[in-house]
Structures are given as C-alpha cells and as structure tokens.
C-alpha cells in the first residue's frame, strides 16, 4: 500500500486529505490514472507529483509505504 | 529553525534576528502581505494551505541555492498558513550578505523560487465566492474546483 495526499482543489474534489491504496511497484503515471478514475479527478496528468516529499516524474516506481502527494500549481508568497 | 511554516502571526523581528551576522553589511527583508484588490476584485480574506513537511524542505533548498550563488549569505524564511485578513503578513524573507547588492538580489531570488517550487496554495475568498488560485498571476485557476480543459492541454 502507498499513501496518497491531496491539497487545494484536489482535496476539495476528493473530499479527503489522504487515502491508502495499492500501488507497490506501480509507476506514478499508473497511480494517477487509478486515482483519477476512482475519484473523478480531471487533469491529474498535468499536476506535479511528489514522492516522499521530493518532486518525481511519471516514470518513478513506487515502493511499499511511499507517500505520494499531488501538487497543483503553487501560489504561495 | 531558519525555514518555517507558521500557523501563528509571523514576528518579523524574529526572522531578521536569525540572519544577523558579524560578516554582514546588509540585511534585506521582504514582507509579503495580503492585498485587498486583484484586477479590480475585492478580496475579503485568504486561506493558505501548505504541504508542511515538503514546504520546509523546499524552503531549505532555496536557502542552499542562495548560499551557493551568493557566498557568506544567511537566509531565513517563514511562511504563514491558515486564514489571513487584508494587510496580514503571509511571508517574511530575511537575507544578510557582506554587501548590499547581493542582499537585494538574493532576497528577490527567494520570493521568485517560493512561487515556483514550494507547495503552498492560497484560496481567495470574495464577496461572490471563493477559488483556489493556480498561480500568482491568476492565469491558472479552478473556479469549478477542477482544472479547465484549456489548462489540462496547456
């Protein structure tokens, strides 16, 4: 299992901050497809991803216990 | 802790104190505040949200980038989260350097990098509604709660 975190509008659409899902040995792109289908999220392929608090690309392979965060365009400052 | 996410109001002096150094000849302080009008639209208040663990790491990364680019520099950054009213302080960046030019440049670099890589988001609340802001220029936003078709293809 891997932990998936949602922020900003993604959190509003999903209605949760965090979910635990199958994803061990998947790549990020496959997880995005699964999450998009499960929660009706559109445009997830263009949202950045962080794995264990570092930006990661779609080819990154996930391991048991990883924390994946979907990072919409940031607007701090 | 030179790089922080704070739920409480930021004490500006505390951030500045972190970069005081004997070799410094200049300290620049950037104070980002909540603006009332954006493109003629009146903001009532903002909510800032952060992925705190990663945000602190990315602020530390910005500090490292600055120290590599401008030698003998000290950097401290605190970003606020939660509900902020008009004029409230959202971010304070303090940079000390031996000479003033580097201090201005490094401070400017810090705020621009925050807007690129630090996972912090603001939600604008207006009289007629609310919206997560996609970026500071307000060119990417999701009024429906989802990215629009043109953003997805962009």
């Amino acid at each position: 299992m891997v932990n998936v975190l949602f922020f900003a509008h993604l959190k509003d659409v999903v209605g949760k901050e965090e979910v635990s899902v199958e994803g061990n040995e998947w790549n990020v792109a496959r997880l995005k497809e699964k999450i998009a289908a499960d929660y009706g999220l559109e445009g997830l392929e263009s949202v950045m991803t962080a794995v264990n608090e570092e930006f990661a690309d779609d080819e990154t392979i996930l391991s048991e216990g990883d924390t994946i965060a979907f990072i919409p365009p940031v607007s701090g400052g | 802790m030179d790089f922080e996410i704070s739920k409480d109001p930021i004490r500006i002096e505390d951030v500045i104190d972190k970069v005081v150094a004997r070799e410094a000849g200049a300290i620049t302080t950037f104070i980002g505040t909540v603006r009332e009008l954006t493109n003629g639209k009146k903001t009532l208040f903002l909510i800032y949200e952060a992925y705190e663990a990663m945000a602190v790491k990315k602020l530390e990364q910005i500090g490292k980038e600055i120290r590599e680019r401008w030698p003998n520099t000290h950097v401290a950054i605190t970003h606020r989260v939660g509900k902020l009213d008009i004029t409230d302080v959202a971010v304070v960046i303090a940079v000390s350097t031996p000479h003033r030019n580097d201090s201005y440049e490094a401070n400017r670099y810090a705020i621009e990098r925050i807007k690129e890589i630090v996972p912090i988001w603001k939600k604008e609340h207006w009289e007629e509604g609310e919206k997560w802001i996609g970026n500071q220029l307000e060119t990417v936003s999701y009024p429906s709660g989802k990215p629009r078709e043109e953003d997805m293809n962009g």
Side-chain angles (χ1 to χ4, degrees):
Chain A
M1 304 291 276
V2 297
N3 301 313
V4 181
L5 308 181
F6 301 104
F7 296 97
H9 71 281
L10 297 176
K11 184 170 73 178
D12 290 350
V13 174
V14 172
K16 294 176 195 171
E17 289 181 18
E18 186 172 358
V19 296
S20 189
V21 297
E22 290 296 333
N24 194 20
E25 295 183 8
W26 290 18
N27 67 16
V28 165
R30 185 175 171 195
L31 180 73
K32 278 186 173 179
E33 282 175 24
K34 163 80 173 155
I35 293 288
D38 286 357
Y39 295 98
L41 288 175
E42 293 172 33
L44 205 54
E45 63 275 10
S46 63
V47 166
M48 286 194 290
T49 307
V51 176
N52 301 329
E53 299 165 9
E54 283 299 335
F55 288 111
D57 62 23
D58 279 351
E59 312 312 315
T60 302
I61 303 295
L62 305 174
S63 304
E64 181 69 23
D66 277 352
T67 296
I68 296 91
F70 295 124
I71 311 282
V74 302
S75 49
Chain B
M1 291 263 292
D2 290 343
F3 303 93
E4 291 186 59
I5 301 296
S6 174
K7 294 176 182 65
D8 301 315
I10 302 169
R11 292 163 51 97
I12 296 165
E13 192 75 26
D14 289 354
V15 183
I16 296 170
D17 285 347
K18 293 175 185 174
V19 303
V20 170
R22 295 186 71 88
E23 70 267 32
I27 297 176
T28 51
T29 309
F30 175 83
I31 303 166
T33 58
V34 178
R35 178 180 55 239
E36 183 167 44
L37 292 173
T38 298
N39 300 329
K41 198 148 57 170
K42 191 172 176 178
T43 297
L44 299 179
F45 63 93
L46 296 180
I47 304 284
Y48 276 100
E49 175 181 292
Y51 178 12
E52 182 168 344
M54 183 173 170
V56 170
K57 279 190 183 179
K58 292 291 125 184
L59 291 175
E60 287 170 349
Q61 178 186 326
I62 292 169
K64 187 165 174 285
E65 288 172 4
I66 287 173
R67 289 191 301 273
E68 285 170 1
R69 202 155 157 177
W70 291 276
N72 304 311
T73 296
H74 298 265
V75 185
I77 305 172
T78 301
H79 201 298
R80 179 99 182 269
V81 290
K83 179 175 183 275
L84 274 75
D85 294 314
I86 307 306
T87 76
D88 279 355
V89 174
V91 61
V92 176
I93 303 167
V95 176
S96 72
T97 57
H99 300 284
R100 68 183 179 282
N101 192 48
D102 285 353
S103 192
Y104 279 114
E105 284 185 7
N107 202 307
R108 178 65 188 264
Y109 178 87
I111 187 66
E112 300 305 332
R113 287 294 275 160
I114 286 171
K115 291 170 185 291
E116 290 172 352
I117 65 165
V118 181
I120 297 174
W121 302 270
K122 71 173 173 184
K123 192 179 206 175
E124 289 261 11
H125 290 255
W126 297 284
E127 280 162 347
E128 68 273 28
E130 60 185 46
K131 183 169 72 176
W132 284 106
I133 303 301
N135 65 24
Q136 288 299 89
L137 300 173
E138 229 188 297
T139 53
V140 181
S141 59
Y142 311 123
S144 65
K146 288 185 267 195
R148 297 167 301 176
E149 196 70 28
E150 58 265 35
D151 293 337
M152 289 158 51
N153 300 330

